[in-house]
Amino acid sequence: MDFSLTEEQQLLQDSINQFIEREYTFDDRKKFLDSEKGFNEENWKTFGSLGWLGMPFSEDDGGYNGGPVDVMVIMENLGKGLIVEPYVPSILLSGKILADLGSDDQKSNYLHSMISGEKIVTFAYIEPQSRFNLSDCLTKATVSDDGYVLDGYKALVHNASASDTLIISARTSGNQCDEKGISLFLVDANAEGVSLRNYSTIDGGKASELTLENVSVSKDSLLGEIDEGFTAIDNAIDLATLGICAEAVGIMGKMNEMTLEYTKTREQFEQKLSQFQALQHRMVDNFMHYEQSKSLLVMCAAKMNDNTEDKKKALASLKYQIGLSGKHIGEESIQLHGGMGVTDEMQIGHYFKRLTTIRTLYGNSDYHLSNYASL
Amino acid sequence: MYNDVVYFALNYKGVLMNLSFSKEDQEFQQEVRSFIEQNYPSEIKEKQDQGIPLSKEDTVKWHKILNDKGWLAVNWPEELGGTGWTITQKHIFQNELAAANTPTLMPFGVNMCGPVIYTFGSDEQKEFHLPKILNGDIWWCQGYSEPGSGSDLASLKTKAEKKGDVYVVNGAKTWTTLAQHADWIFCLVRTDGSGKKQEGISFLLIDMKTPGVEVKPIITIDGTHEVNMVYFDNVEVPVTNLVGEEGFGWSIAKFLLAHERTGIAGIPSLKRELDRLRDITTQIQVGEGSLKDDVMFMSKLDRLEIKLTAAEYTELRTLAAMSAGGHPGPESSILKILGTDLQQELSDLFVEAVGYYAHPFMTEEDLASNESRIGPDFAAPVMPHYLNYRKVSIYGGSNEIQRNVISKAVLGL
Ligand SMILES: Cc1cc2nc3c(=O)[nH]c(=O)nc-3n(C[C@H](O)[C@H](O)[C@H](O)COP(=O)(O)OP(=O)(O)OC[C@H]3O[C@@H](n4cnc5c(N)ncnc54)[C@H](O)[C@@H]3O)c2cc1C
Ligand SMILES: Cc1cc2nc3c(=O)[nH]c(=O)nc-3n(C[C@H](O)[C@H](O)[C@H](O)COP(=O)(O)OP(=O)(O)OC[C@H]3O[C@@H](n4cnc5c(N)ncnc54)[C@H](O)[C@@H]3O)c2cc1C
């Protein structure tokens, strides 16, 4: 049994940490958030040239043949830096779908330039009523003479306003919650009938509500087979789930570090806060939450290529734990900072907010616990 | 519902009594209810129900309505404008206000500074300040905490040096809630640096318009401006603004903290918000049903409700003991912990309930604007509230400090 990273993975980790140290300080990040797109395009190209964007893809697809462990390494370290660039939507979701379903043409038109950092493609699948159910899809696509016509509404589409193209799930047959009958389409973000209502999210990201009215797309915008999009959606969400859980572990580690540091510096009653046993035990609990989360993360990354049931069970365990530990570490870290913890000026609150949205993304703890029970 | 509840309270002898609302109490309840119905301004009610932040004017308006009726300073002595109500009546009153979702009034004048002034103040102070606290013309803020003195309040450093008939005040206060709207600030200041740290503290009333007072905003993680830094640079305060004797400030602060902690549990509002969340679960679509069908989620609401009942009856027992002649002492620390835990848990259940629609960042301006909200209306204020409510276990003496108080003063450790 060996839990250590390979030399390449170690180098990858070092290069991300170096990047954050040099180019992604808290003040830099603030500037990126305030820009129009909500992140920095130069950074994105840098990620491309350093090979981070191509990591999850095969060499044939123009990638670097990385596996789930590499994705884990990237996301955990991006988490430590609280990176807002769209790695999850454009790479782990849309990139994965294109890699699974894309034709040669589609790959060369989209995937290659996504990997190089030139194009951003987001994935629109959440609907107001769908909550966490991936097969709940009311947006409709009907067959027309020269392709398809899409109508419907998608919620919380991350980084849509910075995307050139959207992958959109739409029902081509069956009932609201059927797995069969969902198809995936590549849609130009500027196509007629596509309208976005853009907003910031609480964790520093950007998202949009997306309305589709009579949006015509050509035949070759269909990804894979008609009615058969569900498996690719499910696989992409699985990879993204691993990704955000790794991100959460990076965040939790960082929050624990910052809290320890703060309590070792701040004095009340002529003592460092870290000298109060009541608080020491709280930090021990935070540390144990981190260790359990990290253990399930490593376990899950190792099982991503196993048979479906083992992988699903691992993912459900992991995301369940991240929900619990995310709440615990998040809230406790703020509490131990006292009033300083709730100020916008301190970094800790920003980590807390990202950890809080991750608790919900791709299903909260309850959802994953029921998944686990049903497996 | 608590309307016709039969509730128990322990009297000070520890005998279990069976109390039900008397006929007079029921009539009183009816009187309160119809007063609210007839006098609660609809434009304020609308804002409250939609989670739109209230302006200072809104809050002052409601304050004045209650004061005109004589129902503002519920706990003050009758001769100073109090109500003389029994604890049952006070309980009924608070529950009715909360159930109607009326504005939370600023506690700093009526609940904090007022009682300090009528208990410890000079006749001139009473005459000058009490009427203005009651009619809402003067807003107070609380200047206790300093950058170096949070939990260890007694270590505070803001200095007041007596020079002739003024104190010259220098230093900085922090976390001062709504100082940007306040006319006066009541401060703990150091008048003596020798001796035990608690002994050199005095209680001083300062007009915010005095030259040398500067207020700077602190923005919190929910993006709002609720707290401030308040700087004092050679601020000259008349010695007549000292409350009680020099060096008596710590005793006053302890008296006041006990007052601050009783209301802090916020039980009546918790009940209303829990009911509201139950109602919202029917409106949240999950597939072809609603969130109400989710047994896992709904059982969390039941668990919370049981905890809430335990807290409510703990409060009633404390109130009963107080009305039998006790003081709000260390027991109020229990209520502070129980109440704020519940407030935070409930705020998190709201976040869970609305799912992805907790993620859009809604600023106060967004909430107040006429533009339609992202997602259902009830979802928008949920995340800002969850983030903002991190504060309740930190302020008013953190929950860790409350536990220290209980362990020392109640358990004798
Ligand atoms: C079933 C059983 C089997 C055992 N087997 C063995 C054995 O095989 N060999 C052996 O040598 N011993 C054995 N022990 C003894 C065991 O190691 C001791 O019980 C243990 O070290 C606790 O000591 P104590 O019982 O004196 O409790 P105490 O030390 O008196 O502790 C009482 C409580 O105070 C807490 N406490 C103590 N100090 C602190 C502190 N500084 N900070 C915070 N909390 C504190 C403890 O955690 C505990 O909750 C066994 C005990 C049990 C119950
Ligand atoms: C939103 C908000 C509004 C506020 N409004 C006001 C106001 O209007 N006026 C005012 O004067 N103050 C106000 N406060 C200040 C508040 O009272 C302090 O934040 C509080 O006393 C904690 O002090 P601190 O923030 O310095 O934290 P610290 O004292 O530094 O505490 C940090 C952490 O250490 C813990 N801790 C400290 N000492 C001990 C100990 N001995 N044992 C165990 N744990 C310990 C604390 O519980 C906390 O978790 C407000 C605070 C907030 C957040």
Side-chain angles (χ1 to χ4, degrees), chain A residues 266 268-269 273 276 278-279 335-340 342, chain B residues 108 142-145 150-151 174-177 226-227 391 394-398 400-401 404:
Chain A
R266 168 82 171 167
Q268 288 291 279
F269 306 99
L273 293 180
F276 295 114
L279 302 187
Q335 181 68 20
L336 295 181
H337 275 77
M340 289 310 289
V342 301
Chain B
F108 305 114
Q142 180 185 26
Y144 278 21
S145 307
S151 297
T174 189
W175 312 123
T176 323
T177 299
E226 185 176 295
V227 287
K391 73 185 175 190
I394 296 170
Y395 70 15
S398 76
E400 288 75 25
I401 295 304
N404 288 348

Side-chain angles (χ1 to χ4, degrees), chain A residues 125-133 136 138 153-156 158 175-177 197-203 209 266-270 278-279 282 327 330-332 334-346 349-350 352-353 356-367 369-370, chain B residues 146-155 174-175 197 218-223 227 284-288 291 294 296-298 300 344-345 347-348 351-362 371-376 383-384 386-394 398-401 403-404:
Chain A
Y125 71 100
I126 299 169
E127 297 185 357
Q129 84 293 343
S130 67
R131 208 167 173 85
F132 309 127
N133 184 353
D136 184 340
L138 289 172
Y153 187 96
K154 298 287 178 183
L156 198 77
H158 287 111
N175 296 316
Q176 181 177 338
C177 294
R197 183 171 175 197
N198 303 326
Y199 50 88
S200 298
T201 52
I202 197 79
D203 53 12
E209 300 291 289
R266 168 82 171 167
E267 284 185 28
Q268 288 291 279
F269 306 99
E270 285 92 42
L279 302 187
R282 305 266 288 268
K327 175 176 164 69
E331 293 178 349
E332 287 285 273
I334 299 296
Q335 181 68 20
L336 295 181
H337 275 77
M340 289 310 289
V342 301
T343 59
D344 185 61
E345 165 203 339
M346 292 281 283
H350 297 266
F352 171 54
K353 288 193 271 188
T356 300
T357 56
I358 289 178
R359 282 170 53 199
T360 311
L361 278 180
Y362 318 132
N364 59 21
S365 285
D366 278 4
Y367 171 81
L369 186 60
S370 342
Chain B
E146 297 180 7
S149 307
S151 297
D152 183 10
L153 185 57
S155 70
T174 189
W175 312 123
K197 59 184 181 182
I218 299 173
I219 303 302
T220 44
I221 51 177
D222 54 339
V227 287
I284 294 173
Q285 247 182 302
V286 180
E288 285 156 21
L291 187 61
D294 183 337
M296 249 185 198
F297 184 75
M298 296 310 286
K300 290 185 202 172
Q344 292 184 331
E345 262 329 286
S347 74
D348 190 34
V351 169
E352 248 187 65
V354 306
Y356 287 128
Y357 278 124
H359 290 191
F361 183 17
M362 294 281 107
E371 230 186 302
S372 69
R373 292 175 176 177
I374 311 286
M383 183 64 94
Y386 169 75
L387 296 172
N388 184 272
Y389 260 42
R390 298 291 98 218
K391 73 185 175 190
V392 300
S393 52
I394 296 170
S398 76
N399 287 10
E400 288 75 25
I401 295 304
R403 284 182 167 86
N404 288 348

Side-chain angles (χ1 to χ4, degrees), chain B residues 226-244:
Chain B
E226 185 176 295
V227 287
N228 302 273
M229 291 285 307
V230 182
Y231 297 95
F232 299 88
D233 179 18
N234 284 317
V235 175
E236 296 189 0
V237 181
V239 290
T240 48
N241 286 6
L242 179 75
V243 180

Side-chain angles (χ1 to χ4, degrees), chain A residues 242-369:
Chain A
L242 176 76
I244 57 160
C245 288
E247 183 186 354
V249 168
I251 291 173
M252 291 182 207
K254 191 79 190 184
M255 288 184 87
N256 283 351
E257 221 173 81
M258 290 191 293
T259 304
L260 277 181
E261 190 54 43
Y262 187 78
T263 57
K264 282 194 229 166
T265 321
R266 168 82 171 167
E267 284 185 28
Q268 288 291 279
F269 306 99
E270 285 92 42
Q271 281 183 64
K272 309 277 187 221
L273 293 180
S274 60
Q275 286 169 295
F276 295 114
Q277 194 184 44
L279 302 187
Q280 289 169 350
H281 284 193
R282 305 266 288 268
M283 287 186 273
V284 170
D285 286 345
N286 285 349
F287 170 70
M288 293 190 341
H289 266 282
Y290 169 80
E291 288 297 322
Q292 294 172 79
S293 299
K294 173 98 183 176
S295 299
L296 288 175
L297 172 66
V298 171
M299 181 273 294
C300 188
K303 291 193 172 187
M304 286 296 281
N305 295 328
D306 287 8
N307 68 54
T308 310
E309 191 179 320
D310 285 356
K311 167 181 132 180
K312 288 281 182 196
K313 227 170 174 160
L315 276 164
S317 322
L318 173 60
K319 188 68 198 344
Y320 165 77
Q321 182 70 40
I322 294 295
L324 293 191
S325 297
K327 175 176 164 69
H328 189 93
I329 292 178
E331 293 178 349
E332 287 285 273
S333 306
I334 299 296
Q335 181 68 20
L336 295 181
H337 275 77
M340 289 310 289
V342 301
T343 59
D344 185 61
E345 165 203 339
M346 292 281 283
Q347 296 192 33
I348 194 82
H350 297 266
Y351 282 89
F352 171 54
K353 288 193 271 188
R354 178 59 185 158
L355 198 50
T356 300
T357 56
I358 289 178
R359 282 170 53 199
T360 311
L361 278 180
Y362 318 132
N364 59 21
S365 285
D366 278 4
Y367 171 81
H368 284 280
L369 186 60

